[in-house]
Amino acid sequence: MSYPTGTYVVDQRRNRLGRVMGSEGPYIQLRPPGGGQEWDCPPDATRPATESERRAAGIAANGTD
């Protein structure tokens, strides 16, 4: 599955929330909310973040930090 840039997803391997920044080869590049170092994740190891997960990370309902 591919996600638009800016979408918040959960890396299910690490149970870690990240914002889609793009892709590199077969991987999605994710960045933690509020910034930080990006990491690569296989698309099949991600799922869309729920509204409650986004709120818990301080992300507004419209998906902005």
Side-chain angles (χ1 to χ4, degrees), residues 23-43:
S23 62
E24 181 69 33
Y27 298 101
I28 297 173
Q29 293 178 310
L30 302 175
R31 178 174 287 159
Q37 186 171 1
E38 292 181 5
W39 75 96
D40 293 335
C41 184

Side-chain angles (χ1 to χ4, degrees), residues 6-28:
T7 302
Y8 284 94
V9 299
V10 174
D11 176 345
Q12 297 181 99
R13 303 168 308 162
R14 302 176 183 184
N15 197 32
R16 187 173 177 195
L17 182 69
R19 187 175 198 173
V20 175
M21 303 306 293
S23 62
E24 181 69 33
Y27 298 101
I28 297 173

